[in-house]
Amino acid sequence: MAQAEQTLREALAAFGFGKDVTGAVRYGAGHINDTFLVEGEERRFILQRVSSAAFKEPDKLMENIVNVTEYLGREIARQGGDPARETLTVVHPRDGGHSFTDSAGGVWRAFYFVEGTECYQAAETPQLFAASGRAFGRFQRLLRDYPAATLHETIPRFHDTEDRLRKLKAAIAADSLGRAKDCRAEIDFMLAREADCSMALNALREGALPLRVTHNDTKLNNVLMDAETGEALCVIDLDTVMPGLSINDFGDSIRFGANHSAEDERDLSKVSLDVDLYRVYAAAFLGEAGEALTGAEVRYLPWGAKLMTLECGIRFLTDHLEGDSYFHISRPGQNLDRARTQCKLVADMEAHWGELNAVSEEYLARAE
Ligand code: ADP
Ligand code: GN1
Ligand code: MG
């Protein structure tokens, strides 16, 4: 039996899915973990092998997730919601602990499958995008009193844009696969924005922006939508919940959702920032999280959008130069294509900079 099949079997046996459960199918469109859908005897589950390329300390990661989901569950129940559908529920292995380690060292964890939901890869309607904005705004608000210092940093320097640029420079210098010559324009674009990479970090160092409990991976496909009502139900993919900047949670959503193209679209004429969608998302996010944020955070929202997009482009390009070991790819050159869409979006954000800032100013004027 191939090793991958063998370790999946071990994982299936380790959790209490039911004695006749021997199969699982690949599921979802995440770039990081290996995700499977399991038909249990009584219900369905999500089973995931945690990416060892991304996460070096899976025990700490699971401790974060268990603590955060339990906290969210209590808050949601207190506010009259249904924790079983509105946050993830960790399923523990039969022998205890939060995860199972297979014979090859792979770490597996499981959640209840949240039934009656849909997960979207693109903001098909403004209403859908607004719903995700409310979900991430609410996530921010629900966790405002969570003791941030007790969270482990699951990926050190995750949104340290300065460090991401340093790593890109190292990958360019090494150019181990000889790919740099084919991405000169993207490299130049990113290096020209070195000063930008320090904007949010400077504000944090100067005390202008506070550290908060943040999700750090706020793509539209990390929210489950209620299939019946279309409203956002459950924020998922909690691997990167850790202390961070609220503007980054806002910004990563804009990066992924405020346009009408796929992240790896090859026809760049289809890639553009939709300023209306930016407005829709900002109104929804601020409607839920606004009162928990400072004026400076609201003013820095456009920087969150631009920096998350630039940083993600830097990360895709670095991975392309280094041989695609981090982000899953399904075709050669996909990470370069992803980097190109991010450059196009950054350029568009710069072109609409005044309008993006006006959104924040108008919100602050109304809130006075
Ligand atoms: P990755 O880190 O690789 O993105 P995710 O945790 O986001 O992994 O899961 C990948 C996909 O699996 C999600 O986009 C979603 O479609 C689906 N998914 C994950 N957890 C659940 C769940 N508890 N219930 C239903 N679907 C889920
Ligand atoms: C990854 O796990 P997933 O697919 O939701 C990545 C994000 C990137 C995103 C780009 C842990 O998100 O940081 O923004 O791909 N997650 C991790 O699509 O690195
Ligand atoms: Mg995901």
Side-chain angles (χ1 to χ4, degrees), residues 155-176:
I155 302 183
R157 316 191 103 171
F158 187 55
H159 284 322
D160 179 338
T161 316
E162 293 169 346
D163 189 57
R164 296 292 188 180
L165 190 70
R166 271 195 294 278
K167 289 184 172 133
L168 173 63
K169 286 180 181 171
I172 298 166
D175 196 18
S176 52

Side-chain angles (χ1 to χ4, degrees), residues 4-207:
E5 207 180 315
Q6 166 66 28
T7 53
L8 174 61
R9 273 178 184 245
E10 290 172 18
L12 285 169
F15 291 87
F17 298 137
K19 61 179 174 357
D20 294 330
V21 178
T22 52
V25 288
R26 287 240 168 217
Y27 193 78
H31 296 343
I32 302 295
N33 298 310
D34 291 318
T35 301
F36 299 87
L37 172 63
V38 181
E39 299 270 355
E41 267 168 17
E42 281 160 20
R43 60 180 306 156
R44 302 199 291 174
F45 300 88
I46 284 285
L47 174 66
Q48 288 179 315
R49 179 174 32 222
V50 179
S51 164
S52 59
F55 303 106
K56 305 300 176 202
E57 297 187 290
D59 289 348
K60 291 185 175 170
L61 175 155
M62 286 310 296
E63 202 180 302
N64 276 1
I65 293 184
V66 167
N67 288 335
V68 165
T69 51
E70 286 179 356
Y71 182 96
L72 285 172
R74 284 192 297 274
E75 286 297 306
I76 289 165
R78 210 169 51 79
Q79 298 181 18
D82 176 3
R85 297 195 81 219
E86 294 172 35
T87 186
L88 288 174
T89 306
V90 175
V91 176
H92 299 268
R94 283 190 297 200
D95 289 348
H98 302 326
S99 61
F100 163 73
T101 304
D102 66 36
S103 56
V107 175
W108 298 78
R109 50 99 187 279
F111 300 105
Y112 286 152
F113 186 91
V114 185
E115 298 290 348
T117 57
E118 296 200 46
C119 183
Y120 293 86
Q121 300 307 319
E124 291 169 15
T125 62
Q127 290 78 7
L128 182 67
F129 198 39
S132 76
R134 284 192 289 277
F136 285 119
R138 183 158 174 251
F139 186 84
Q140 177 75 233
R141 203 191 61 223
L142 287 173
L143 291 169
R144 69 191 284 184
D145 294 325
Y146 189 94
T150 63
L151 284 172
H152 303 290
E153 209 179 341
T154 55
I155 302 183
R157 316 191 103 171
F158 187 55
H159 284 322
D160 179 338
T161 316
E162 293 169 346
D163 189 57
R164 296 292 188 180
L165 190 70
R166 271 195 294 278
K167 289 184 172 133
L168 173 63
K169 286 180 181 171
I172 298 166
D175 196 18
S176 52
L177 297 168
R179 292 179 172 177
K181 62 181 181 327
D182 304 321
C183 13
R184 219 45 260 181
E186 291 71 29
I187 290 173
D188 290 346
F189 183 94
M190 290 166 186
L191 296 183
R193 284 158 182 75
E194 179 155 13
D196 290 345
C197 293
S198 298
M199 280 303 291
L201 291 167
N202 279 342
L204 176 67
R205 286 187 283 255
E206 289 158 9

